[in-house]
Amino acid sequence: MSLMSTNFVQSQAPDVFERAKGAAGRLFVEDGNSAFYQGRQYFTFSEYSIAQGAVGVYRIVLTQDVIMRDFFVLLTVSNANVEIVSGGTASGTFNNTLTIQSTNNMLRTPVRASTTTMTYGGTLTGGTVLDKFILSSGNNLNQAIGSQGGEQFPVGFPPGTYYVRITNTGNTTATGLFKARWTEDPN
């Protein structure tokens, strides 16, 4: 008998079956990552405005293993270098706390608060650059074409402190949006 024609006995594992009206049970297969359905996937976003020649820094503190699912920085005007950094010397005040939200707020989803914290502000010198993007959208707001860089594949990070450093390399204020989506792995 092939796997495609194997019959399952519903009484052995009722939580893995769906039933259509009047139909026999069929195996339920989730679309996407099971962490979404377990309430372990989160996202955040933040608009930024960085003066000419200045640097904006996001600090990310992970208390458990994390799989970054999506990460991008959108630049609406100016030019910028974006770096994901570990280590380095942070100073100043990271006083703007980003709101972290669950990606799944359906009623049947377990409510789990994120253990990740993200703040904006302060400065960072040095550190190990883990990834880098160069963005250019033009320095004239009336003629600028938005530019974005980031990752759309899973990247795993162990617990620790990480930074996203955005350096304005253009000749006008850099404005845009920072956005991230991740899964927390408590194992």
Side-chain angles (χ1 to χ4, degrees):
M1 178 183 304
S2 75
L3 287 177
M4 296 304 288
S5 64
T6 300
N7 292 323
F8 293 94
V9 178
Q10 184 175 4
S11 63
Q12 291 178 349
D15 59 333
V16 297
F17 287 91
E18 288 184 326
R19 283 196 175 268
K21 208 177 209 181
R26 64 186 180 115
L27 186 62
F28 175 73
V29 179
E30 293 178 342
D31 178 27
N33 189 305
S34 60
F36 172 81
Y37 295 97
Q38 295 169 349
R40 296 186 294 109
Q41 196 171 89
Y42 306 91
F43 76 99
T44 192
F45 63 91
S46 171
E47 292 184 76
Y48 63 85
S49 179
I50 303 168
Q52 177 184 354
V55 178
V57 180
Y58 289 92
R59 179 173 57 192
I60 299 125
V61 178
L62 309 178
T63 61
Q64 57 188 318
D65 287 344
V66 164
I67 302 168
M68 181 176 60
R69 298 283 175 189
D70 296 296
F71 163 83
F72 76 86
V73 175
L74 170 68
L75 179 69
T76 55
V77 67
S78 196
N79 302 314
N81 290 340
V82 180
E83 299 169 311
I84 300 175
V85 181
S86 67
T89 303
S91 59
T93 305
F94 290 86
N95 57 359
N96 296 325
T97 302
L98 279 64
T99 300
I100 294 176
Q101 303 175 66
S102 174
T103 59
N104 184 355
N105 293 300
M106 295 186 297
L107 292 177
R108 68 175 185 249
T109 304
V111 177
R112 298 178 189 207
S114 174
T115 62
T116 299
T117 58
M118 294 190 188
T119 51
Y120 180 80
T123 61
L124 178 70
T125 55
T128 302
V129 176
L130 304 174
D131 206 347
K132 183 174 184 172
F133 310 97
I134 298 173
L135 305 176
S136 178
S137 70
N139 290 310
N140 182 331
L141 184 58
N142 295 327
Q143 298 173 348
I145 298 173
S147 175
Q148 76 177 31
E151 304 291 5
Q152 291 185 316
F153 57 85
V155 179
F157 290 95
T161 301
Y162 301 89
Y163 301 90
V164 175
R165 181 168 47 203
I166 305 172
T167 304
N168 183 351
T169 59
N171 62 16
T172 189
T173 299
T175 58
L177 179 72
F178 162 84
K179 196 165 191 175
R181 181 175 66 95
W182 66 95
T183 297
E184 294 181 358
D185 186 2
N187 298 326

